[in-house]
Amino acid sequence: MCIRDRYQRRVRGTNRSAMAPSVDPRASMAKRRASKEQAKKLKMYGIIGVVVLGIVGWLLYAEMEASGARAWADSYPRKCEACQTMIVSGIWTRSLIGQQEIKRIEAERAEAGIDTPLTDEERNPPIRASIVLRYMCQDGQIDQLMANVPLTFGDGFTSGEDPDFATSVKKLCWYAMNNETVTKTFKKMLETPITQMQNPTLISVAKVHGHAVCAQRLGVCTEAQLEPGLVDVPMPQQGGGRPRGSGVLEEAAPIEDLDQRPDMGNPIEEEETEL
């Protein structure tokens, strides 16, 4: 091959190289970055979509559950008896907390060497309604109430004859504590001073509030249902002694004899309940 031919080939190769488009590396990197950003956005949108669908599904399920619960509560045939039981639980719980507070005062006085009788204020310590509301609907509290204070109503129904009654009271009581109107109604009831009466019993005190709470405010009882209301029934004698609550109303457990729960001896934290 002559020198001339080699030169011509070299010139043609140079021309082809000059004609080939040049590639900007910065533009290529920017394109790759844009593709990655787009993929990240699509992934993020997908995750957000899944989360939104999950939240919507959960809300729909919760609404269905709430609707079912409301329907059950509206159709429950013993709403009036459950409401009266909640009143009893509130008064009973307040009594237990009050007795616990009296024991604390007595212990402090004993440590200080004070042997004088308790003052009227010390014998009747103020109990905040928010504390009572926090305990009165707890499952254990309702179970202990049913075990210690069997309830009998005017139509002959008793709390022990229906094995599902305690469970129903717990559910209705829980619903009540999540309803602002109902909670305020019970708070007002618990803040109302106990009417002075001779030999008051748990049942007789609870009956005082039946019409105002269950009929007038909550509308779950009729006046006819509350006309007989809760009935004081004879309580079994303990240790061969005389029946509790002796006096005009000697059939039901007196308020001052209701400290039967060992766990109520534990300190109760003083904090407000949101109403």
Side-chain angles (χ1 to χ4, degrees):
M1 180 180 297
C2 64
I3 296 175
R4 180 181 176 181
D5 292 337
R6 287 200 297 270
Y7 175 76
Q8 289 178 347
R9 289 183 180 180
R10 185 179 302 172
V11 170
R12 287 197 295 270
T14 303
N15 291 337
R16 284 196 298 268
S17 300
M19 293 174 61
S22 61
V23 178
D24 187 354
R26 289 178 297 181
S28 178
M29 293 177 62
K31 186 176 181 180
R32 285 197 297 269
R33 283 198 299 269
S35 298
K36 290 181 180 180
E37 290 295 329
Q38 184 67 19
K40 288 181 180 179
K41 288 181 179 179
L42 291 175
K43 184 178 180 180
M44 181 182 67
Y45 293 151
I47 294 174
I48 292 174
V50 171
V51 172
V52 169
L53 288 175
I55 293 174
V56 170
W58 180 82
L59 290 175
L60 290 174
Y61 175 78
E63 180 59 29
M64 291 175 59
E65 288 288 312
S67 298
R70 286 193 296 268
W72 172 84
D74 291 339
S75 62
Y76 181 63
R78 293 288 180 182
K79 291 192 296 290
C80 183
E81 290 81 357
C83 180
Q84 295 175 77
T85 303
M86 289 166 59
I87 293 175
V88 175
S89 180
I91 296 171
W92 190 63
T93 302
R94 181 177 61 185
S95 175
L96 293 174
I97 296 173
Q99 292 171 39
Q100 173 183 304
E101 181 65 11
I102 291 173
K103 288 182 178 179
R104 184 190 65 79
I105 293 173
E106 290 176 338
E108 290 181 352
R109 287 166 59 92
E111 290 180 2
I114 302 173
D115 56 359
T116 57
L118 296 178
T119 64
D120 290 340
E121 183 178 355
E122 290 172 329
R123 285 196 299 269
N124 298 280
I127 305 300
R128 289 191 296 173
S130 59
I131 299 296
V132 180
L133 291 172
R134 180 147 52 95
Y135 284 95
M136 61 177 278
C137 288
Q138 290 184 354
D139 288 357
Q141 190 76 351
I142 299 296
D143 288 337
Q144 289 292 333
L145 172 65
M146 296 297 182
N148 287 290
V149 189
L151 302 177
T152 300
F153 300 88
D155 62 355
F157 174 75
T158 63
S159 58
E161 70 180 64
D162 181 1
D164 296 326
F165 182 67
T167 300
S168 300
V169 171
K170 294 173 188 176
K171 291 173 65 175
L172 290 171
C173 202
W174 186 84
Y175 296 153
M177 292 302 104
N178 285 274
N179 182 291
E180 185 177 1
T181 300
V182 180
T183 304
K184 287 183 176 179
T185 297
F186 277 91
K187 183 176 184 291
K188 183 177 180 180
M189 179 200 80
L190 292 167
E191 291 174 344
T192 301
I194 298 177
T195 303
Q196 294 297 323
M197 60 179 68
Q198 186 178 9
N199 295 319
T201 68
L202 177 63
I203 301 304
S204 65
V205 174
K207 290 181 68 172
V208 171
H209 302 286
H211 289 274
V213 174
C214 299
Q216 297 175 8
R217 292 286 297 170
L218 303 184
V220 296
C221 293
T222 64
E223 295 295 333
Q225 286 176 300
L226 292 173
E227 184 60 32
L230 285 162
V231 178
D232 281 334
V233 295
M235 296 292 289
Q237 297 185 9
Q238 296 183 345
R242 49 202 298 264
R244 294 181 295 172
S246 58
V248 177
L249 295 175
E250 65 179 4
E251 296 88 353
I255 293 177
E256 54 269 20
D257 289 341
L258 291 177
D259 192 5
Q260 301 177 21
R261 289 195 52 189
D263 56 313
M264 292 303 295
N266 298 328
I268 294 177
E269 296 179 1
E270 293 289 327
E271 61 183 50
E272 290 292 345
T273 299
E274 291 293 334
L275 299 176

